[in-house]
């Protein structure tokens, strides 16, 4: 156990478990002083020490993100458990609520690379009148339909790559991706205390995250993408809900995508399994 406390990020994260707000937990931890040895007087708190304790409430972006990573499963566990897997669910446009919607059943298979640009992803989608696959590997995207390779439409490519670049993994794997963190500050929205920070990748693509100060769950993220025709950028946000544990890691089983404030897609995960060996042929073009 002593080795765990040698890491400042991990020991900081251990203070976050429980229902007490983040700032209060750390303040309580600082108030616990060790018992003085027999015959020695416990030093009195100085004015300077009290100021230091108050300043501990101003956490850095790295402290917040490292603590969130710990609660999502910790970096070593996420790297080991989520190195590959299969996710199955439904994609509805605009919503999965009862009514007339366009719905697809999806299966997402992936192999995790050293960084996100080296990931391998295969997304199979089945709709009532169409069935096809989108495959990402070696930094590029292509598709397969009826056993033949095809080049996806530009809008489909842009959507796939944007959702890969601006995701939960963008935050959880920021170090592996060589990204930088920028803490915007602390806000209160709809009665919820939030940490707001940006993750900027090596290509200067920025994603803004809104993280609950109480649970350290990512509640939603925001990003901008160029609109067709070179007009003003479109603003997107993705909300994450229904968090559950999957093989010891935290996973949102429902997410909603909005475009300029209007809901355009809902994804509901039915099941997810990590640690499954996947044949490399799944991620190769049939023409290779």
């Amino acid at each position: 156990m002593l080795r765990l406390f040698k890491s400042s990020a991990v020991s900081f994260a251990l203070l976050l478990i429980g229902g007490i707000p983040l700032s209060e937990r750390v303040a309580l931890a600082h108030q616990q002083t060790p018992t003085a040895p027999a015959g020695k007087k416990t030093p009195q708190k100085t004015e300077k020490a009290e100021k230091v304790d108050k300043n501990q409430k101003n956490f850095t972006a790295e402290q917040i993100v490292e603590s969130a990573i710990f609660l999502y499963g910790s970096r070593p566990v996420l790297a080991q458990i989520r190195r590959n897997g299969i996710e199955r669910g439904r994609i509805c446009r605009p919503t999965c609520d009862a009514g007339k919607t366009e719905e697809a059943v999806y299966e997402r298979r992936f192999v995790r690379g050293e960084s996100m640009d080296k990931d391998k992803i295969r997304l199979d989608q089945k709709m009532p009148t169409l069935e096809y696959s989108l495959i990402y590997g070696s930094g590029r995207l292509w598709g397969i339909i009826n056993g033949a390779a095809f080049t996806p439409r530009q809008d489909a490519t842009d959507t796939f790559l944007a959702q890969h670049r601006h995701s939960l993994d963008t935050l959880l794997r920021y170090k592996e991706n060589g990204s930088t963190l920028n803490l915007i500050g602390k806000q209160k929205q709809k009665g919820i205390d939030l940490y707001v920070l940006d993750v900027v990748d090596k290509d200067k693509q920025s994603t803004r995250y809104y993280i609950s100060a109480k649970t350290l769950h990512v509640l939603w993220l925001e990003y901008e993408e160029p609109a067709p025709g070179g007009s003003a950028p479109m603003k997107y946000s993705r909300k994450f809900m229904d968090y559950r544990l999957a093989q010891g890691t935290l996973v949102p089983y429902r997410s909603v995508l909005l475009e300029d404030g209007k809901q355009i897609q809902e994804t509901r995960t039915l099941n997810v399994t990590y640690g499954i060996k996947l044949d490399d042929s799944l991620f190769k073009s049939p023409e290779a």
Side-chain angles (χ1 to χ4, degrees), residues 172-232:
L172 300 177
R173 299 169 63 187
Y174 81 95
K175 277 192 175 179
E176 296 91 323
N177 297 333
S179 301
T180 57
L181 305 176
N182 179 28
L183 180 61
I184 305 304
K186 194 172 182 181
Q187 299 179 4
K188 192 163 190 172
Q189 296 192 29
K190 297 182 179 179
I192 301 174
D193 289 323
L194 301 163
Y195 290 110
V196 184
L197 57 88
D198 290 342
V199 177
V200 183
D201 65 21
K202 292 182 293 186
D203 297 325
K204 306 303 179 184
Q205 296 279 339
S206 180
T207 311
R208 178 159 294 182
Y209 292 85
Y210 294 80
I211 303 173
S212 167
K214 181 177 180 180
T215 65
L216 289 181
H217 294 177
V218 176
L219 301 186
W220 73 90
L221 59 80
E222 295 177 348
Y223 61 94
E224 291 185 350
E225 286 290 317
S231 57

Side-chain angles (χ1 to χ4, degrees), residues 154-155 158-159 162 165-166 205 223-236 259:
Q154 189 60 47
D155 60 340
D158 293 342
T159 298
R165 285 194 301 263
H166 308 285
Q205 296 279 339
Y223 61 94
E224 291 185 350
E225 286 290 317
S231 57
M234 304 284 283
K235 185 174 181 178
Y236 295 88
E259 181 181 80

Side-chain angles (χ1 to χ4, degrees), residues 43-74:
Q44 296 297 316
K45 286 186 178 180
T46 64
E47 184 179 351
K48 183 178 181 180
E50 289 176 357
K51 289 181 179 179
V52 169
D53 285 346
K54 291 177 182 179
N55 289 338
Q56 290 299 323
K57 297 181 182 181
N58 299 322
F59 305 116
T60 66
E62 186 174 9
Q63 285 175 320
I64 295 167
V65 175
E66 289 296 330
S67 298
I69 291 170
F70 181 83
L71 291 186
Y72 271 76
S74 81

